[in-house]
Amino acid sequence: QVQVIESGGGLVQAGDSLRLSCAASGRTFRRHQMAWFRRAPGKEREFLAAVTWSGESVNYSDSVKGRFTISADTTKNTVYLQMNELKPEDTAQYYCAARLPSNAPLSWLKSYSAWGQGTQVTVSS
C-alpha cells in the first residue's frame, strides 16, 4: 500500500511561484508512477503532470506545460510540482496520486491507486 501526503499550498498573487510537495511511503512506492492533479471549483479533476522515480518519463498537460515542472527526489521520497507564473485560474485543490505502470491514459483517475487529501492553492489577481 502506497501513501502520499501533499503540502505546500497557500495564498499567492498572480505571477508568483509556489512549490508543492508530495511525500510518498510504502513498500512499493518506487514502482509507482507519480502524478499531480487539480480540481477547481465546479470543475472535474484535471491531470497536470506525471513522473517516474527514475525521471525517465515526464509528462505534462498542455494547460501547464512551460509553467509547471514536476520532479522526483529519491533521496527524500518526495515528488515536487514547481508552479511559476501563477494565474487566478490556477486556483484549485491540488492532489498527488500514484499508480503502478499502466497503459491507461495518465488522465484516467481510476488507474491511480493512491491519492492524497489535497492542498489548496489560491491565486489572487
Side-chain angles (χ1 to χ4, degrees), residues 17-118:
S17 297
L18 199 62
R19 189 178 75 164
L20 304 182
S21 299
C22 171
S25 61
R27 290 191 304 113
T28 63
F29 77 89
R30 289 285 176 88
R31 295 171 52 198
H32 287 65
Q33 185 174 29
M34 306 297 294
W36 283 98
F37 289 76
R38 69 184 177 190
R39 184 170 184 174
K43 296 187 177 181
E44 296 184 350
R45 200 167 294 197
E46 172 192 14
F47 167 78
L48 301 177
V51 68
T52 55
W53 286 102
S54 67
E56 292 179 354
S57 176
V58 180
N59 293 275
Y60 295 95
S61 69
D62 289 341
S63 64
V64 302
K65 191 178 298 183
R67 291 195 301 127
F68 291 10
T69 302
I70 190 171
S71 61
D73 186 338
T74 57
T75 65
K76 298 181 178 180
N77 299 338
T78 299
V79 173
Y80 300 101
L81 185 68
Q82 176 68 41
M83 306 185 294
N84 298 327
E85 301 175 18
L86 284 163
K87 307 173 183 179
E89 50 264 43
D90 293 318
T91 295
Q93 187 82 349
Y94 283 71
Y95 298 91
C96 179
R99 73 176 192 180
L100 288 168
S102 170
N103 291 324
L106 291 168
S107 59
W108 195 39
L109 303 181
K110 292 184 178 181
S111 67
Y112 293 85
S113 58
W115 290 88
Q117 292 299 308

